[in-house]
Every structure is written in C-alpha cells, then in structure tokens.
Amino acid sequence: MLKSLLVAAAVGTLLLAPVHAAAQGTASTQPITAEERAALTPSRSTLEKGWDVANTACADCHGLDGISTAPGIPHLAGQRTVYLHRILLSYQQRERLNDDMNHAIGFLNDDAILAVAAFYASLTPASPQPRDEGWMESAAENGRDPFATIREDMKKCVKCHGEDGNASGSGMPNLTAQDPAYFVQSMQAYRNGERGHRLMQKLVTELDDDTLLKMGTFYGVQEPRKTETKGDGNPDLGQAMAEGCGNCHGADGNPAGANMPTLAGQDARYFIKAMQAYKEGKRSHEKMFEAVESLSEADIQNLAAFYAGQEPVRRNVRTPLTTAEWIKRCERCHGIEGNSTDPRFPALAGQERTYLAEALEAYAGTARGNSAMHAMSAPLSETDIETIVEYYATSQPKSVLYMELPCEDQAE
C-alpha cells in the first residue's frame, strides 16, 4: 500500500527528510492536520479563494503581494503555510490580541483562513533589507566576545577594580562574586545620591541601565579572588559579631539573595569605609544604618578582618551568548539564515525590522504566549535583539515548495 509524504524543496535544493510532526506540544509543534497538509500543495481554486480573502481583509496592511505597507507590520509573502494558518486562528480566537487583526479575520471560516495562508505562502518573498553599514564588523566582534559592546565603558573601571573586577589596590572593592542585580542596584545608588562618592556618581551617570547590567554580568561570571588586605582586626571576634549579619549576608559572607552583596573575601579597608559611610549617613540605607549604629571602630575592624578571610563564591550567573551562538539556537526551528523548512515555523529571513524587534520584545515580556520563545527571548539584551533583527532582516529569504511523493509502507 502506498501513502503520501511531503518533502520540502527550497528553490533549487531538495531536502531529503520528510516533514515530521511532533506528537504533542504547543500550537506551533502540534501535528500537521490533513487539511493543513493538503494546503501545502494548494489547488488553483484554493489560491484564487486566498486571493479574494487577501484582497478583502489583508491587503491594506500586508499588501496584495504580501509585502508590508508600514513599519511594524510583517511581510507575509513566502511565509510558511501552516504557521500562517495557526497564527491567524490564534488571532481569531483572541489568544493573540491585536484589534486590527482580531477584527480583520473575525468573520472568516477555517477554509478561508487556510486559503489565504496558502496564497501568501505561494508568493515571492520580499527582497532583504539593506544591511546597516558596519554591521558585519560589529557582528564579528560580538561573535567573538559577548561583552564587546561594553569594553570601552569598562576601561574606566580597570584602574581601580582590575581587569576582571578583582581589585589589587588596598581600599578598593572587589566587584566579583556579586549578583548583577545588586551591582546595578549599587550603581544606581551612586547615581541618585544614596551613596556619596563624586567620582562614582560622575562615572555612573554616563551609563544607562542596560550597560550597567552587562557590566554586572561580566563581573558576575569572573572567578572571584580573596583580598590580600586582611586589616588589623581580630577575625575570631569578628566571626562572633557576624552572626547577626548572617540572615542577609550568609554565615560566611556569601549570601543567597540576589540583592544582597557578597562580603566574603572583600577588601578590609573598603569594608571599613563602607560601614563608616552607613554609620555617618553618607550612604542612605535604613537597615544598614540600624545595623552599624551601635558598632565601635574596633567592632567594624574585627568584622572586616573576618569577612576578608572568607572564600568568596561565584554567583550562579550565566555567561551571555555571542551573536553566533544566538543565531545557532534560532536555527533549530527557523532554519539556516532564517529559512525554515518545517511549515509550522515562520521564516525570519527578509522580515520587516520593526516587526521582528517588537515580536522578540513581546515574547521576552510574555505579551505573546509561547513558553519556548519566552525562554529564548527573556535573556536577550537590547543589543542582542538589535543584532539578531539586523541579521534576519538582511538575510536572503527563500520560497519553499512541498511535493507529494509516494512511498511504500515498510512491514515490520
């Protein structure tokens, strides 16, 4: 007995593997239905019906040729049939909320939605958008170094805090072993005057929060080293006094909370200066003021000596992916250079820039409900999104044709 299998061919290139359907999953990964499978090789009547629907309901925004008429509106020409069908259904069922889209297809039946999906999928894709000048050089650098975009800003930190955030100078804090969230929080405190330090305030004012987060991440992934400045205090007496600090900072100065600083291995002179600043009100923090208010100078020195002798532990901070690594992850579903061959997943090559950026931001913020895309998008920085969007918007889109090939059932 013979049965039909669908084999995809990207213009001029035969793909030997058939289109496989997952056994279960989200709407994007559910098995292809018989109706969707038939629409991959649409009849003339289906395409004519799709043209009628497109002309009536879609052309004002997406063009009758499937080319976007305004920023933020996606190109549909050459898009994958099953993906289009399922996304249109999600708008009709209001799983995706967009007033224009919800209204445009609210009255269409499933046959009409499938026909217009097949029609747009049959069209020639949009030409890729021009690549921004200097993008290749920037992408190549980002491909080698995930922190390439902040290296220039970090030069201002090296003199005091060292190349890797492990300060060698006495009185300077180590920036390693801190959670990026605490690093950003402390830098913002310098910026808004909660921490009094003119030089730090000046330096931080010049940096935006995205840059600060990247810097905090850089220091968070470095291997921390214990300070060489132990101080003149008694670490044994300091250990006894540190019991009251353990709830927030951990018994050995390695806290569990992301918004709590690591004290283990911290420079003793810096620790003393910081505690005195809290005590004198030069650093504004009510709980810390209460904690140090009754401490004598000797008490602070003893605490400094204890924490300086503890071993700092690196936080669980993941090294950011390079541009090349992000693209490789995207290729798992969206194909080489954004030309997917599985009709359930959208092609990204040549897509409209603004739409791509807004889509990634929507997935990152869960405005679009797709757990896999949220997991992929949530860690992306603004620079990551800009680079990924530029890569796909300027990649050459390719149409994909599906052919029915008979094959013989294999007896087991």
Side-chain angles (χ1 to χ4, degrees), residues 4 60 103 136 151 192 200 216 219 243 280:
S4 293
D60 285 349
H103 173 75
M136 287 298 293
R151 292 292 182 184
N192 61 30
M200 283 300 300
Y219 291 125
E243 290 182 8
E280 296 167 5

Side-chain angles (χ1 to χ4, degrees), residues 40-81:
L40 295 177
T41 53
S43 63
R44 178 172 178 176
S45 62
T46 296
L47 294 178
E48 288 175 345
K49 181 176 183 178
W51 185 95
D52 287 336
V53 174
N55 189 42
T56 302
C58 312
D60 285 349
C61 295
H62 300 282
L64 196 54
D65 58 357
I67 308 303
S68 168
T69 61
I73 296 175
H75 300 311
L76 301 184
Q79 191 52 272
R80 307 322 186 215
T81 305

